[in-house]
């Protein structure tokens, strides 16, 4: 059995959608049980309506809520009764809980994760995204926006965290580490990339494959793509923007030609390139798995993330933060 | 009449392809004439074979060639007889020549453009790309890789150059200037973006519309998108990588389903998203229009770029570098 904490608040789509996602996840994964955090009465009612298996559901009442207007520094002290922070502190305290998923405020989540789950050193965690690669595998992009301005030491840390994560979660023995640059040659890069390159090259614990340019970011040439949070945000959002635009074009074409095949194609592509429904952001560098779902996360996102937790648990992916210290 | 310089060397596809492109451009644009720079004998032979209108063709013999292995510093002194540098110096000297296109080495081209066309101050020019936006218009992305590490002053300069370029070339009265960031809010950005924001905001000659995130880079929300060369390279290459990947998916689907409509769609999208054939890179901040075609430029690219020159000339787009000095 694996038990995960689900923050029912924080999604733009409201708690009912998140609870429906939890219900679907319980149906799909018989080894799963959930701790639902939020308004107890609302959760109880929804569970009844959905006929959820209550022997696999625990409810934790948390009347408060983190909004997108809360600053991390304030929230961490004054909103400990919010569903997100109560969920995180409970995850840290109880050995029977494996991980947590929330769609709420990223800044508060990172600060909360650092506060409750990073041990004594309080190192800022990284935010990674596991994205489907063109070769059928997955690429872990890190960092995707937790730390916008980075040092070479931070990128080195991200490389180690990403390598560990892909080994544990996807059972890749020696994950290939790429460094996002403006060209594949080792001489290419901005100041940060040029300073990071020799550090990654010198670290024998990493399977560093060199610079990767944007056109190959998700080709599958590497298992972990390392970059600062600004560049990682661009890779995510430009990919999404381009995919959305092309799919919109295809939909228009389908309407014009009334072709069923084209319509089917558009729906297929929507599924493949709906980054919002894919896994969400994995917080790396803390003691237990925490996943940030997109702000507009719905049922599909929750089911998909529950699947990631199940996958991690079966690979015994308990994160050893001491091992990743630099 | 408008006369442009075409460097017949530098493309991976060889001089014959470039000359065929010139021939097609002359057919398409009756107001166009060309100065072809390269191996005189080869050019003459090709012109005869293609039956080109020789009253609109001038040939300039240049036996040397710039390769991708040439360093800008060396080439600028020792390879002045190369087709690219001889083309640039001739463009600078002769009033009857409007602009130049080459598919050769970008670094040498930028240095050469600065040497021959930037006046006394020798300010490093910017490399811009004009890309089709989702709303049917065009977005000028600047810088796309000429200057990888930038200062806020450089981004300010790019904003001015881009604004001027879009006003002159596309007849947009007050081009909207966006700043590429990791979020639309004014508080978002890395150190460079945060320092640049107030400078763009304070410049009353610019129609600054604020931060633009990657998902909207090519939505048409701005006419000029300003960023450092590293980020600009990512926007270009991630867009291209994503489009190529989706179109490959569609081609596979077309083969599997044997649907003619899907096949037609794939070819249509290839045309729209073939960034390589679109305009190429515009060098901004110099006295005359110079366009860098992609290294693998073929006939289509040359015709498309010739069209840009014709467009510029009709808008009387002579670049006034003094006006853009900061």
């Amino acid at each position: 059995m694996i038990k995960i904490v689900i923050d029912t608040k924080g999604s733009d789509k409201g708690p009912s959608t998140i609870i429906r996602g939890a219900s679907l996840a319980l149906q799909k994964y018989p080894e799963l049980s959930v701790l639902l955090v939020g308004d107890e009465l609302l959760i109880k009612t929804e569970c009844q309506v959905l006929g959820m298996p209550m022997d696999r559901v625990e409810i934790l009442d948390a009347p408060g809520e983190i909004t997108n207007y809360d600053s991390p520094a304030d929230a961490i002290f004054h909103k400990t009764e919010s569903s997100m922070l109560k969920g995180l502190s409970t995850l840290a305290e109880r050995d029977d809980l494996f991980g947590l998923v929330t769609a709420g405020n990223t800044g508060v989540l990172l600060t909360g994760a650092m506060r409750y789950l990073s041990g004594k050193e309080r190192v800022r965690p990284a935010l990674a995204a596991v994205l489907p690669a063109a070769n059928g595998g997955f690429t872990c992009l890190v960092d995707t926006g937790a730390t916008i301005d980075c040092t070479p030491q931070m990128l080195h840390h991200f490389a180690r965290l990403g390598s560990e994560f892909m080994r544990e979660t996807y059972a890749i023995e020696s994950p290939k580490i790429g460094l996002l640059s403006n060209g594949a040659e080792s001489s290419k890069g901005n100041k940060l990339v040029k300073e990071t390159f020799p550090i990654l090259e010198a670290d024998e614990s990493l399977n560093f494959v060199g610079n990767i340019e944007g056109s190959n970011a998700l080709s599958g040439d590497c298992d972990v793509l390392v970059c600062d949070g600004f560049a990682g945000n661009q890779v995510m959002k430009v990919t999404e923007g381009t995919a959305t635009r092309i799919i919109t074009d295809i939909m228009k074409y389908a309407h014009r030609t009334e072709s069923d095949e084209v319509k089917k194609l558009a729906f297929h592509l929507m599924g493949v390139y709906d980054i919002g429904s894919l896994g969400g952001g994995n917080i790396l560098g803390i003691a237990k798995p925490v996943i940030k779902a997109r702000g507009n996360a719905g049922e599909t996102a929750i089911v998909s993330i529950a699947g990631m937790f199940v996958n991690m648990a079966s690979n015994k992916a308990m994160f050893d933060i001491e091992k990743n210290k630099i």
Side-chain angles (χ1 to χ4, degrees), chain A:
Chain A
M1 286 299 275
I2 158 183
K3 188 165 186 173
I4 61 170
V5 184
I6 299 180
D7 175 10
T8 62
K9 299 180 185 180
S11 165
D12 304 342
K13 295 191 175 150
S16 302
T17 304
I18 300 299
I19 298 165
R20 272 202 303 279
S23 174
L24 293 169
L26 289 172
Q27 284 169 35
K28 186 164 179 185
Y29 302 106
E31 66 271 54
L32 186 74
S33 64
V34 296
L35 171 62
L36 301 176
V37 195
D39 291 318
E40 191 172 10
L41 191 62
L42 186 145
I43 298 174
K44 267 192 181 150
T45 314
E46 287 286 349
C47 286
Q48 251 171 345
V49 172
L50 296 165
M52 283 167 75
M54 295 311 288
D55 54 327
R56 290 160 62 202
V57 177
E58 185 185 341
I59 300 170
L60 179 64
D61 191 40
E65 185 175 354
I66 301 288
T67 71
N68 277 329
Y69 301 99
D70 284 314
S71 86
D74 277 356
I76 209 78
F77 291 111
H78 302 117
K79 289 205 159 181
T80 50
E81 290 307 299
S82 62
S83 57
M84 185 198 283
L85 294 177
K86 203 163 176 182
L88 279 173
S89 60
T90 308
L91 173 67
E93 281 158 18
R94 281 172 48 177
D95 285 342
D96 64 323
L97 299 174
F98 180 78
L100 174 145
V101 53
T102 177
N105 186 318
T106 309
V108 177
L109 179 62
L110 286 161
T111 310
M114 187 160 73
R115 162 98 168 72
Y116 294 114
L117 291 160
S118 84
K120 282 178 200 154
E121 293 198 15
R122 302 271 164 93
V123 178
R124 187 170 170 83
L127 190 60
V130 180
L131 302 170
N135 68 351
F138 289 92
T139 299
C140 174
L141 184 70
V142 55
D143 183 84
T144 61
T147 309
I148 297 301
D149 290 292
C150 291
T151 62
Q153 288 68 37
M154 286 177 187
L155 295 198
H156 184 198
H157 193 208
F158 298 165
R160 286 196 167 200
L161 291 171
S163 183
E164 174 74 7
F165 177 74
M166 292 307 279
R167 186 158 45 232
E168 298 286 0
T169 311
Y170 288 87
I172 299 169
E173 203 175 318
S174 179
K176 285 180 281 186
I177 313 293
L179 181 61
L180 182 70
S181 190
N182 57 309
E185 304 89 341
S186 61
S187 60
K188 293 279 182 156
N190 57 12
K191 193 167 170 286
L192 174 66
V193 168
K194 283 179 180 166
E195 286 175 13
T196 304
F197 192 101
I199 299 176
L200 298 188
E201 208 175 22
D203 185 341
E204 287 181 6
S205 75
L206 297 174
N207 179 10
F208 180 52
V209 298
N211 284 339
I212 301 276
E213 52 184 344
S215 39
N216 289 324
L218 300 178
S219 63
D221 290 356
C222 61
D223 303 304
V224 178
L225 184 59
V226 174
C227 55
D228 66 58
F230 188 85
N233 186 280
Q234 298 309 333
V235 172
M236 291 275 288
K237 289 189 179 161
V238 173
T239 300
E240 195 182 355
T242 308
T244 305
R245 180 174 166 185
I246 296 179
I247 293 168
T248 308
D249 278 2
I250 297 175
M251 285 303 270
K252 281 187 204 154
Y253 187 85
H255 279 291
R256 207 167 58 235
T257 58
E258 294 180 358
S259 158
D260 282 339
E261 285 296 351
V262 176
K263 249 178 237 167
K264 261 192 262 172
L265 171 70
F267 284 114
H268 165 74
L269 291 172
M270 272 187 221
V272 177
Y273 291 95
D274 178 10
I275 295 182
S277 82
L278 289 165
N282 295 269
I283 299 188
L284 308 186
I286 53 175
K288 287 186 176 184
V290 170
I291 296 183
K292 163 73 176 83
R294 293 278 287 250
N296 61 357
E299 292 95 330
T300 330
I302 298 301
V303 175
S304 151
I305 291 169
M308 286 195 75
F309 281 122
V310 170
N311 196 17
M312 284 182 210
S314 67
N315 283 315
K316 299 183 182 43
M318 293 309 289
F319 295 174
D320 184 347
I321 39 173
E322 295 309 317
K323 206 162 60 183
N324 283 311
K325 288 270 164 61
I326 292 177

